[in-house]
Amino acid sequence: MRFFSRTSQIKFLTSLILTLLIIALVASTLGCISLNTDKDNSNYNQDMKKEPPTPEANITFITTGSSFSPIITVTGNPEIKWVFGDGSTSNSASPTVKFGSKETRVNTLVVTPWSAVTKINIGYDGSDGGVTPGPNTIENLEQQNVIAVSGLENVAPYLQVWASSYNPITELDFSNFTALHTIECYYCTSLNTITLHNVPSLKRLCLECCNLSYLDISEAPSLEDLRAAVQQSPTYTINWGNTGANIWHVCIRDNPHMTGTLPYNQLPLLEDFFTWNSNQSGTLHLTSTNLKSVLSSDNNYTAANLSGCFPAGREGTVNMYNNNLTSLDISNNPGLINLNVSQNSLNQTEVDKILQTMDSYNTENGYLDITGNAEPSSKGAAHANNLTARGWKVRSSDQFIKK
């Protein structure tokens, strides 16, 4: 065996230690480089994962017809850009594009600035007491076969009028449409969802003949005109919240599947109350002194209190036939001249009271139908004769009582 000298051993060890230190330093350096590289790569990867820049915001109308002719109303002189499903474009507020065939197409709208848009119309014919002539007039327009709309949030703070009557649209979201005062969705038979979150200016809401199972109007405190009759859904509920202080017209007729009662005490300005065939029961107690018409037949009401609702000169009408009424308070109503409470469960005392009350107003040429209840007594019949002497038509036992 060969032995190194002590000097050689020391030199060897020194060289070995230096080599190891160099290797460790290089490894450490490489490690740092690797860490830094990993960090840089991490940032790079994160950047690569980021979504591409958002394209120009637009409103999208998906249509299925062979043409598309929307109408928008704008203020000022904004830039309008339509891109239709066939690739054609337009800068008109009321463009017309003919596709030549029925097909599902995506049509987009960009208005710069969006704040210029006040009205969007894709269908309207003035049905069901539509908007009267004036600054809020909506142009008559055949439905545009729109099945879906997205991007409406672009005009949420600015849009005042929306009209989509007769379109097969299924869903609408009007969340935070703070300037919106009119919604026309008459006969949108496919519409099953509408969101009305934070709509403080909404006054007219027409949802006649839709497919709603739930309607929330609790965030529409300014609502004046509610038309939500004839829903096709097998269930139907309205959440009123505290809404009602400004309402003059309520029409929820022909909803025999409706659940829940109406907040009668929240309707101080009510003029028209159209609720026939709407599965209502209990006591109908209206307090508005502005009432003109109460049409609530074909329900299950057992009592009604309308005292003081029809002041003199009103020519008011109450139709509550085909209910289960056992009592009816029509006191202090000299302006009530049309009353039909036939086919109820009013006993003779109640029938006599009705005849006496109506006679006491000394009005002329009215109409009263009490058939299908108990027969009046001789006293009741005397009041009936007084009415007929003043030109009233009074029906009892399916016969007109004549003078």
Side-chain angles (χ1 to χ4, degrees):
M1 177 177 293
R2 185 178 176 180
F3 294 93
F4 294 101
S5 66
R6 184 176 181 82
T7 302
S8 297
Q9 290 176 352
I10 291 172
K11 288 181 178 180
F12 173 77
L13 289 173
T14 302
S15 176
L16 178 62
I17 290 170
L18 287 173
T19 300
L20 292 173
L21 288 173
I22 291 171
I23 292 172
L25 179 61
V26 170
S28 174
T29 303
L30 290 174
C32 291
I33 293 173
S34 175
L35 288 173
N36 289 336
T37 302
D38 287 344
K39 184 177 181 180
D40 291 341
N41 284 341
S42 174
N43 287 339
Y44 176 77
N45 289 337
Q46 288 177 5
D47 291 339
M48 291 295 290
K49 292 178 182 178
K50 287 182 179 179
E51 295 293 330
T54 303
E56 193 173 28
N58 58 52
I59 298 176
T60 299
F61 301 85
I62 299 179
T63 61
T64 60
S66 60
S67 64
F68 186 42
S69 301
I71 301 174
I72 64 171
T73 300
V74 296
T75 58
N77 188 30
E79 179 183 349
I80 300 172
K81 182 180 180 180
W82 287 97
V83 179
F84 300 110
D86 62 352
S88 63
T89 63
S90 174
N91 61 1
S92 172
S94 55
T96 293
V97 56
K98 296 185 182 298
F99 300 122
S101 64
K102 293 182 178 180
E103 185 180 324
T104 300
R105 295 178 173 87
V106 177
N107 311 277
T108 62
L109 167 67
V110 176
V111 178
T112 306
W114 284 115
S115 58
V117 180
T118 61
K119 194 183 307 178
I120 296 177
N121 181 3
I122 54 173
Y124 181 75
D125 67 358
S127 294
D128 200 29
V131 178
T132 56
N136 297 321
T137 297
I138 306 173
E139 302 86 350
N140 281 359
L141 178 66
E142 290 186 3
Q143 67 94 4
Q144 298 299 305
N145 295 293
V146 176
I147 61 172
V149 180
S150 61
L152 283 178
E153 61 273 12
N154 287 303
V155 293
Y158 321 115
L159 192 69
Q160 298 175 26
V161 176
W162 168 269
S164 60
S165 295
Y166 300 99
N167 281 270
I169 196 164
T170 59
E171 182 177 356
L172 288 168
D173 188 344
F174 293 112
S175 295
N176 301 310
F177 277 61
T178 51
L180 187 65
H181 59 70
T182 300
I183 296 175
E184 297 287 344
C185 293
Y186 183 74
Y187 239 94
C188 290
T189 56
S190 298
L191 184 64
N192 54 48
T193 303
I194 184 167
T195 303
L196 300 170
H197 167 62
N198 187 26
V199 284
S201 302
L202 186 62
K203 294 183 178 181
R204 176 177 163 88
L205 177 60
C206 181
L207 300 168
E208 302 274 297
C209 304
C210 294
N211 192 36
L212 300 174
S213 60
Y214 180 72
L215 174 60
D216 190 342
I217 58 172
S218 63
E219 296 185 59
S222 299
L223 192 62
E224 297 177 359
D225 187 353
L226 173 63
R227 299 171 190 250
V230 199
Q231 301 304 314
Q232 308 301 312
S233 172
T235 60
Y236 186 37
T237 302
I238 298 177
N239 177 23
W240 291 75
N242 295 320
T243 295
N246 299 295
I247 290 181
W248 65 270
H249 183 94
V250 169
C251 181
I252 54 170
R253 63 176 178 81
D254 288 317
N255 287 308
H257 44 279
M258 175 177 280
T259 56
T261 57
L262 306 183
Y264 308 124
N265 61 339
Q266 293 176 202
L267 306 170
L269 303 181
L270 191 63
E271 296 180 15
D272 302 324
F273 188 69
F274 302 160
T275 60
W276 66 85
N277 190 30
S278 294
N279 197 34
Q280 297 300 296
S281 59
T283 299
L284 171 61
H285 187 186
L286 299 177
T287 58
S288 170
T289 57
N290 296 320
L291 275 175
K292 296 178 180 177
S293 299
V294 175
L295 309 183
S296 299
S297 60
D298 298 305
N299 281 295
N300 300 301
Y301 287 116
T302 55
N305 185 346
L306 304 174
S307 177
C309 292
F310 298 93
R314 179 62 50 79
E315 298 187 356
T317 296
V318 172
N319 285 343
M320 293 196 69
Y321 56 85
N322 288 339
N323 274 275
N324 296 314
L325 293 178
T326 58
S327 67
L328 173 65
D329 188 347
I330 51 171
S331 59
N332 302 312
N333 283 326
L336 178 59
I337 63 168
N338 293 284
L339 176 61
N340 187 339
V341 288
S342 61
Q343 307 305 318
N344 276 285
S345 301
L346 299 166
N347 61 26
Q348 187 176 81
T349 300
E350 288 294 317
V351 168
D352 284 352
K353 184 172 70 173
I354 291 171
L355 289 165
Q356 180 181 8
T357 301
M358 297 304 293
D359 184 20
S360 70
Y361 299 140
N362 202 34
T363 51
E364 300 177 348
N365 303 318
Y367 178 85
L368 172 62
D369 191 343
I370 52 175
T371 58
N373 294 284
E375 286 294 312
S377 69
S378 58
K379 290 183 179 180
H383 290 296
N385 289 330
N386 291 339
L387 288 167
T388 58
R390 295 198 300 272
W392 278 69
K393 294 181 179 179
V394 180
R395 291 192 65 188
S396 178
S397 301
D398 295 323
Q399 297 293 324
F400 281 108
I401 297 176
K402 298 180 180 179
K403 182 177 177 181

